[in-house]
Amino acid sequence: MARKISYIFLCMNVIPLLAAAASQACSAQSDAKCSQTGEWNGEFFPGIPKIKYEGPYTKNKFAYKWYNAEEVILGKKMKDWLRFSVAFWHTFRGTGVDPFGAPTKFWPWEDGTNSIAMAKRRMRANFEFINKLGVDRWCFHDRDIAPEGKTLQETNSNLDEVVKLAKTLQGNNIRPLWGTAQLFMHPRYMHGAATSSELGVYVYAAAQVKKAMEVTHYLGGENYVFWGGREGYQTLLNTDMEFELDHMAKFLEAAAAYKRKIGFTGTLLIEPKPQEPTKHQYDWDAATTTNFLRKYGLIGDFKLNIECNHATLSGHSCHHDVETARINGLLGNIDANSGDAQTGWDTDQFLTDTREATMIMLSVIKNGH
């Protein structure tokens, strides 16, 4: 049976063009942007038109100089080679904080809460932003788009309510590049999710992935990502590595089985990352993750989501990890970012190295249609 070659997708950390100086409750603002009920009226990004291609010589700051979505290159439109996606967590939940500082970025529509009403307002801002950029993909963590409740049932209900709005706002032309479950921020995941030593944490994580996969499927998502942010260890003195790897494999097997059960046709992706916050993560790089999938017989169920900054943190170039995934038939998605060589954590900057970007694109072309 011939191997099906997957499309290559890019999840781009798009940073909004306009940030407010301070956060205020919507109802406290004096202009007409807020109704008496506290709902935001009007545009979230006023004065910014829909961004269009105008060529390399345009003087318009809000225009594409090089990205011509409809231009055909090697038989495919540029928008099909480069399926840019707005990353919800960076764009609308990122605060500009670093490990040693306080938040530095605030939006004028934020009211300081993590309520359902605030989640819906962010979602409306998300789709205004997407439409003005002229892209047709977005990606998200479950906990970034909807608040966690006191129980799993309440949490799932919150997610359903926000996702229902997202389904309406995205219409027929926009859909998620991928969705994922955030299995790293809550204290319950301090020692991992699929590799946690606590059975209750393992089961809770499985339930969270189940729900996140369901809503990704409901929204028409093209992929579902597993990012093992804490699937690793700080010291081997109190870690049974083999036991934890076996548990992670069982977790992924169950996820693949559930994907088939609900009829989700998207690709399951694993995103390699070497460290931060754990000393050593089990999905260290493309080669390590490929070996893991092969050992546990998961090659047919998963591909890789290569994040460039993760590749450099593991001591490789982004091109190296992309090419490693490609030659193993596992290249599924690219998070086309970059980091700072003088900073020891993932900084999620734009990929501005034209040589590296060209080499990565060469691998994408080799991967085929």
Side-chain angles (χ1 to χ4, degrees), residues 337-354:
N337 66 354
S338 66
D340 189 318
Q342 295 175 308
T343 301
W345 61 81
D346 187 3
T347 54
D348 285 306
Q349 299 169 215
F350 286 103
L351 180 58
T352 56
D353 185 331
T354 53

Side-chain angles (χ1 to χ4, degrees), residues 52-71:
K52 299 179 180 179
Y53 172 75
E54 295 183 7
Y57 302 109
T58 182
K59 301 297 183 181
N60 181 5
K61 295 180 179 179
F62 297 112
Y64 291 116
K65 292 185 175 183
W66 305 105
Y67 177 63
N68 182 3
E70 299 299 321
E71 182 179 351

Side-chain angles (χ1 to χ4, degrees), residues 47 112 127 130 301 314:
F127 282 101
I130 289 172
D301 292 313
S314 69

Side-chain angles (χ1 to χ4, degrees), residues 8-204:
I8 306 303
F9 308 101
L10 291 86
C11 186
M12 184 177 181
N13 298 328
V14 185
I15 306 302
L17 303 171
L18 185 64
S23 175
Q24 299 177 357
C26 189
S27 58
Q29 297 199 17
S30 58
D31 58 28
K33 291 180 181 178
C34 296
S35 68
Q36 291 182 344
T37 61
E39 188 51 65
W40 186 269
N41 294 325
E43 291 185 284
F44 290 87
F45 303 96
I48 299 178
K50 185 166 184 175
I51 311 301
K52 299 179 180 179
Y53 172 75
E54 295 183 7
Y57 302 109
T58 182
K59 301 297 183 181
N60 181 5
K61 295 180 179 179
F62 297 112
Y64 291 116
K65 292 185 175 183
W66 305 105
Y67 177 63
N68 182 3
E70 299 299 321
E71 182 179 351
V72 176
I73 302 172
L74 298 178
K76 290 173 65 173
K77 291 183 178 180
M78 193 179 292
K79 67 180 182 181
D80 295 322
W81 281 117
L82 304 170
R83 297 188 178 186
F84 293 122
S85 175
V86 174
F88 191 93
W89 61 99
H90 287 295
T91 312
F92 294 102
R93 301 308 305 275
T95 63
V97 67
D98 64 30
F100 302 100
T104 59
K105 187 177 76 175
F106 304 93
W107 294 113
W109 57 79
E110 289 282 342
D111 64 6
T113 71
N114 195 27
S115 63
I116 290 290
M118 191 64 250
K120 289 182 176 180
R121 191 180 301 166
R122 294 187 193 107
M123 193 59 69
R124 292 188 180 96
N126 174 57
F127 282 101
E128 180 183 317
F129 187 60
I130 289 172
N131 281 300
K132 287 190 172 183
L133 278 179
V135 300
D136 55 11
R137 299 290 189 277
W138 64 296
C139 44
F140 63 92
H141 294 92
D142 52 357
R143 294 298 180 265
D144 289 314
I145 63 173
E148 185 158 7
K150 295 180 180 179
T151 65
L152 181 62
Q153 183 179 14
E154 181 182 337
T155 299
N156 288 346
S157 178
N158 291 343
L159 186 59
D160 284 336
E161 189 171 346
V162 176
V163 166
K164 184 178 180 180
L165 174 64
K167 179 79 167 180
T168 299
L169 293 173
Q170 70 178 21
N172 296 323
N173 298 321
I174 301 172
R175 56 178 171 167
L177 174 62
W178 48 263
T180 187
Q182 189 195 78
L183 304 178
F184 54 88
M185 184 172 289
H186 194 281
R188 74 171 64 91
Y189 297 127
M190 64 182 295
H191 295 305
T195 59
S196 174
S197 58
E198 297 291 331
L199 177 60
V201 173
Y202 184 97
V203 173
Y204 197 101

